[in-house]
Amino acid sequence: MTADCIFCKIVKGEIPSTRILETDEVYSFLDINPINPGHLLVIPKKHFNTIFEIPDSILAELMPCVKRLSKAVYRAVSAEGINIVQNNYRAAGQLIDHAHFHVIPRFSNDGFLTSWPGKTASPEDLNRVKEKILNLLEK
Ligand code: 5GP
Ligand code: ZN
């Protein structure tokens, strides 16, 4: 499982990376194929496949890193915006099965998506899905 994980190898130094920040539980490095210059990744050092498996205690260390790094990237490349993107499972675009957060600097003329086309939903549709979610919401 984790033996073949590229990001585990990056954390261990077995694959080179452009390290930006490291804490006890968190590692951040530049994405090798940046969407825009400054695009970086923030990962838990331990292997978790998706956000579902990351313990809250680690997320509590990781999210402030995402925020700090976002501010630094924003200023470093004079960005006009920042996307924080976190893909889980193939259907959502996850290619590397070691949970990670993208910090992506954005520019108004960079040609990438700024909003997703939403579907229409009736109040009944919204209430139906709301009930399903609330029934499954973990304490
Ligand atoms: P995902 O689609 O899984 O959310 O994103 C994976 C990201 O990891 C991609 O943006 C890809 O460019 C990046 N990536 C894949 N392999 C490597 C690597 O070996 N080194 C670095 N720095 N980034 C990688
Ligand atoms: Zn891993």
Side-chain angles (χ1 to χ4, degrees), residues 31-133:
D31 195 295
I32 203 166
N33 292 128
I35 288 171
N36 283 320
H39 176 182
L40 58 77
L41 302 172
V42 190
I43 67 173
K45 284 183 172 174
K46 297 190 185 100
H47 183 96
F48 303 103
N49 279 47
T50 72
I51 196 169
F52 294 165
E53 290 84 27
I54 306 177
D56 289 355
S57 59
I58 292 182
L59 281 173
E61 183 169 321
L62 190 148
M63 287 311 296
C65 293
V66 170
K67 179 178 165 183
R68 272 179 72 205
L69 288 159
S70 301
K71 285 181 169 177
V73 169
Y74 184 72
R75 294 184 63 195
V77 300
S78 301
E80 296 171 75
I82 289 277
N83 282 130
I84 310 296
V85 176
Q86 204 278 314
N87 301 325
N88 299 284
Y89 303 118
R90 294 291 175 270
Q94 183 177 15
L95 296 174
I96 304 285
D97 291 330
H98 183 130
H100 52 278
F101 291 74
H102 295 256
V103 173
I104 305 170
R106 294 295 307 273
F107 302 88
S108 52
N109 63 352
D110 65 16
F112 296 114
L113 200 66
T114 50
S115 67
W116 295 355
K119 300 182 174 75
T120 50
S122 67
E124 293 75 26
D125 291 334
L126 298 179
N127 272 320
R128 209 173 301 120
V129 75
K130 172 189 139 183
E131 290 306 326
K132 284 188 187 175
I133 295 167

